[in-house]
Amino acid sequence: MTGPAQRDSLLSANDNRRMFDRIARRYDLMNHLLSLGLDRRWRKKAVAMLAPREGGRYLDIGCGTGDVAMEVLRQGPGSHVIGIDPAAEMLAIAERKAERAEAGEGVTFQAGDATELALADGTFDGVISAFCVRNITHRARAFEQMRRVLVPGGMAVILELTVPGSRFVRFGHGLFLRCFVPLAGRLIAGGGTAYRYLADSISDFTEPAEIGRMMDDAGFIETRQIALQGGVVTIFVGRSP
Ligand SMILES: C[S@@+](CC[C@H](N)C(=O)[O-])C[C@H]1O[C@@H](n2cnc3c(N)ncnc32)[C@H](O)[C@@H]1O
């Protein structure tokens, strides 16, 4: 399902985990900086599409440092969220955030992989994944797993960085990715390679329409996509039948 260009930038699961472990400490800062603070707004919007409710169960796949899971609790007080991620250092930061927010039993973070969810069928009212799908080699399998764990009618929301459709916006976006992102990664996060990977993984990411098709193939219904900021970011939504 992945084209040759994607295979060029994708890392093995182990290398991916090691990379996120390495950049974990500066991850939030870099996110806010590189998105000019818009990342918070994008996550809020994605969670609003999930529409979490009291008593609902939600899964955050590739939860990283936990911002999406915490936003689910904010928008859906009384809901329960499980965040999974293979990178232990990212999870450690997520756990500290939950402690500081006194989230208690509202949120649980655990090690896990999107393509092999060790979770029962039909147990979540919603699944959300932010900026993670791009890093996954076997995306089709990840989408199948998302659908498997959803209750009938449950909602999947994917937030991802994408390449804008307009040639003009794409030009500026390409310059930003190729020049500014790796430089900021080297200077601030001490990891130029990781941020060069970020730039490559965005440029090589599958066309938004193809992600929609993958969701259809995985059995989602009512799939649609919402482009934000001229397509720099896209939210993909689908419902379990
Ligand atoms: C760019 S971060 C996004 C973190 C968080 N969702 C956010 O909104 O900031 C991508 C995360 O996906 C995780 N990840 C990568 N491959 C994964 C996989 N196969 N299954 C689950 N998570 C994965 C990484 O460890 C990393 O924490």
Side-chain angles (χ1 to χ4, degrees):
M1 284 299 233
T2 54
Q6 290 148 37
R7 281 196 295 276
D8 285 348
S9 68
L10 277 166
L11 299 174
S12 74
N14 265 341
D15 286 348
N16 209 285
R17 178 178 46 72
R18 276 197 285 268
M19 182 190 72
F20 280 106
D21 275 339
R22 224 172 26 245
I23 64 170
R25 215 165 43 88
R26 293 282 170 88
Y27 176 80
D28 286 348
L29 171 70
M30 286 297 286
N31 253 348
H32 303 330
L33 186 80
L34 294 178
S35 70
L36 311 174
L38 290 170
D39 60 317
R40 293 190 184 94
R41 201 188 296 175
W42 296 333
R43 287 194 194 82
K44 268 196 184 125
K45 183 146 181 104
V47 172
M49 306 213 66
L50 191 71
R53 57 171 173 78
E54 188 179 355
R57 282 174 55 82
Y58 300 93
L59 178 65
D60 176 13
I61 295 181
C63 61
T65 57
D67 283 353
V68 167
M70 300 308 293
E71 184 60 29
V72 172
L73 284 186
R74 259 190 297 274
Q75 293 190 28
S79 59
H80 183 81
V81 193
I82 295 182
I84 65 136
D85 200 288
E89 297 297 325
M90 299 287 271
L91 288 174
I93 294 171
E95 269 156 15
R96 285 201 289 278
K97 265 184 206 165
E99 270 166 32
R100 274 201 305 274
E102 300 182 355
E105 301 199 335
V107 65
T108 314
F109 293 108
Q110 58 192 55
D113 190 298
T115 58
E116 304 170 51
L117 295 177
L119 298 159
D121 294 2
T123 41
F124 291 93
D125 297 292
V127 171
I128 186 160
S129 188
F131 312 123
C132 168
V133 166
R134 204 182 58 241
N135 301 289
I136 300 174
T137 313
H138 301 292
R139 285 182 200 135
R141 202 182 304 160
F143 286 127
E144 281 160 18
Q145 290 285 299
M146 287 178 199
R147 200 189 58 71
R148 179 182 68 74
V149 299
L150 278 171
V151 299
M155 174 86 100
V157 178
I158 314 290
L159 173 65
E160 195 46 273
L161 297 169
T162 42
V163 175
S166 135
R167 225 188 286 168
F168 178 68
V169 183
R170 204 160 54 224
F171 178 73
H173 184 248
L175 276 183
F176 177 78
L177 287 182
R178 276 193 303 279
C179 305
F180 183 72
V181 170
L183 180 68
R186 202 167 63 236
L187 296 180
I188 299 164
T193 318
Y195 284 89
R196 226 177 350 263
Y197 161 78
L198 169 72
D200 289 346
S201 70
I202 298 167
S203 314
D204 295 349
F205 190 46
T206 310
E207 287 284 310
E210 177 61 18
I211 292 293
R213 274 193 292 277
M214 280 190 188
M215 292 183 79
D216 291 339
D217 289 347
F220 284 102
I221 57 169
E222 298 166 21
T223 54
R224 62 199 166 99
Q225 41 190 282
I226 302 108
L228 306 178
Q229 252 74 49
V232 166
V233 164
T234 304
I235 299 178
F236 303 89
V237 181
R239 193 175 285 285
S240 168

